[in-house]
Amino acid sequence: MGAGGLWMPFHCDDTRVDGWASSTLDELAKQHANSDRNVEVVPKVSFKRQLMKPPSWSETSFLQFQQLDIDSLYKHASRNNIRLPQREIIENAGYTHAWLFYPPIVDAPNALNAMLQEIKMHENANFINVETSKYFKTMNEIVTEARALGCDGVLELEGCCCIIIDIIHHCGEKDDTHWKDSAVTIEEEPFGSETTPCYMIPRGDTIVVGGTYLVGDEEENVRESERQMILKNAHTLGIDTTNNEPVGEWVGFRPYRSSVRLEIDEDLTQSGMRVVHNYGFGGCGWTCYVGAAKEATSLVTGAR
C-alpha cells in the first residue's frame, strides 16, 4: 500500500545498482509507452542547498535530467504547468538548486497484484507456491528465520512510514485542473534528512507523503510524532492539509544491506542445489527489480 514506486537509485552504495536500475528503467519505459496503467512518468524534483555533482544515471536521455538554480526551476515549472511547493518557503529554508528529471513511478500495490495474477495464470503455476504459509509475530523473527535460511549477518531491517492523501486542494490554488503534480524529495535540513526525508510521490489519484527510513526500527504503527511530522511535510510541500484528509497510513519493513547480496551461495553448491541470494535493496526495490531479476535468473540457469 505505501511503497512509493519511484524509480531513483538512492540509499544503496552498491556499484552494481546503476546497471540493474538501467535495465529496469528500460522495461518501465516500454510499459509506459504501451500505456500500462500501473506506470506513469511525472516531473521529479530534489531540492539541494548547493550545486551538486549529478549522479551517473543522470546521463540517460529518457530522464531529461537537469540541474537548475531555484529561479530557473520555477520559471520552467511555470512554463510547463508543473506544481511545486511555494517558492518563498523553499528559498527561505536555504535551498538554492534542484535536480529535475522525469522518472517512471509504479503504482506498487496494483503492479504487485498484476504480477501475482500473471504467475497464477502461468502454465507451470501448479509447481509454484505463490501463497505464503508462515507468519511472524515480530521483525526479529523474520531476520532470525532469514539468517537460518542462509541470509548473512549483514542483513538488517529498515522501517519506513508514510501517509496516503487523496488530493482535492493545493495551498494557494483556486483552479488547479491544468497543473501537473510533481514528485518532490528533500533529504537536507531544515525540511529533511537521510533518515527522515520530506517527500511526496503522486500515485494515481493519491499522493504518498513521508516519511522515515530507520534501520532497526520495529514499531509497527505510525507514531503520533511521525504522523505530525508527515502532515507538516505535506503542508510544506503545498498540500492543503485542512481540506485534504489522509485516506490511509502505512508502516513497512524491508531487508537492507549496505551492499546488495545477489550471488550464488557457494556453501550449498555441493548439495546439488544452486541457491541464489537476491535481497537487501532497501529503498531501491522498484528501481532495480527487473535488472536484479535478470541477473538472478542468469545465475540460476548457469548463463553466467
Side-chain angles (χ1 to χ4, degrees):
M1 175 181 178
L6 171 68
W7 185 98
M8 180 179 174
F10 73 119
H11 282 207
C12 190
D13 299 327
D14 197 307
T15 56
R16 298 170 294 173
V17 162
D18 281 359
W20 298 329
S22 177
S23 182
T24 304
L25 180 61
D26 290 343
E27 175 61 27
L28 293 176
K30 291 177 185 176
Q31 292 180 23
H32 180 258
N34 292 331
S35 301
D36 188 320
R37 63 181 182 179
N38 292 326
V39 180
E40 58 182 324
V41 173
V42 302
K44 164 68 172 64
V45 175
S46 295
F47 286 104
K48 309 291 182 181
R49 295 184 64 85
Q50 59 185 341
L51 191 67
M52 303 285 288
K53 180 182 178 180
S56 57
W57 48 263
S58 65
E59 299 176 2
T60 305
S61 59
F62 177 88
L63 298 173
Q64 305 175 59
F65 184 96
Q66 300 177 70
Q67 180 159 221
L68 304 170
D69 58 44
I70 293 300
D71 185 59
S72 298
L73 172 68
Y74 277 83
K75 287 179 179 177
H76 176 90
S78 178
R79 289 194 301 268
N80 293 279
N81 296 331
I82 299 172
R83 182 182 288 112
L84 294 176
Q86 293 183 28
R87 176 173 176 170
E88 183 179 7
I89 292 176
I90 295 298
E91 288 186 318
N92 288 345
Y95 301 104
T96 60
H97 290 79
W99 292 350
L100 169 67
F101 56 103
Y102 291 79
I105 294 179
V106 180
D107 187 343
N110 288 329
L112 284 172
N113 185 61
M115 291 179 191
L116 179 59
Q117 298 309 313
E118 184 177 352
I119 292 173
K120 288 182 175 180
M121 295 295 291
H122 194 275
E123 60 183 359
N124 293 323
N126 292 335
F127 302 99
I128 303 172
N129 177 15
V130 297
E131 304 292 343
T132 180
S133 59
K134 187 169 184 178
Y135 296 87
F136 302 91
K137 294 181 180 179
T138 68
M139 296 302 108
N140 274 330
E141 287 186 13
I142 296 176
V143 174
T144 301
E145 179 77 5
R147 289 175 180 166
L149 293 172
C151 295
D152 56 26
V154 184
L155 176 67
E156 297 183 271
L157 281 174
E158 183 179 61
C160 47
C161 70
C162 62
I163 286 177
I164 318 326
I165 298 178
D166 189 1
I167 296 300
I168 301 174
H169 301 284
H170 291 266
C171 294
E173 293 185 9
K174 295 181 180 179
D175 179 13
D176 59 6
T177 56
H178 67 295
W179 289 89
K180 297 189 286 281
D181 283 320
S182 61
V184 177
T185 58
I186 307 176
E187 292 197 347
E188 298 179 39
E189 299 290 348
F191 292 154
S193 70
E194 274 202 3
T195 56
T196 56
C198 173
Y199 68 85
M200 65 177 182
I201 301 173
R203 196 179 67 195
D205 296 328
T206 61
I207 289 186
V208 179
V209 183
T212 63
Y213 302 127
L214 302 175
V215 175
D217 186 6
E218 296 185 23
E219 175 56 48
E220 297 181 13
N221 299 292
V222 178
R223 300 177 179 91
E224 182 58 29
S225 59
E226 292 170 336
R227 184 177 295 108
Q228 294 305 315
M229 175 194 72
I230 294 173
L231 289 173
K232 182 179 179 181
N233 287 350
H235 187 267
T236 297
L237 296 174
I239 297 172
D240 183 351
T241 51
T242 302
N243 294 301
N244 293 285
E245 289 291 328
V247 295
E249 56 185 39
W250 178 85
V251 173
F253 303 92
R254 55 197 178 201
Y256 167 81
R257 298 169 91 253
S258 58
S259 177
V260 173
R261 191 177 188 193
L262 206 174
E263 62 186 9
I264 295 175
D265 194 326
E266 299 294 345
D267 293 336
L268 297 175
T269 54
Q270 296 180 355
S271 66
M273 295 186 298
R274 178 172 290 172
V275 176
V276 174
H277 294 281
N278 183 11
Y279 63 85
F281 292 87
C284 279
W286 284 106
T287 300
C288 297
Y289 78 102
V290 173
K294 287 182 176 180
E295 180 161 339
T297 301
S298 69
L299 292 175
V300 170
T301 59
R304 291 190 57 182

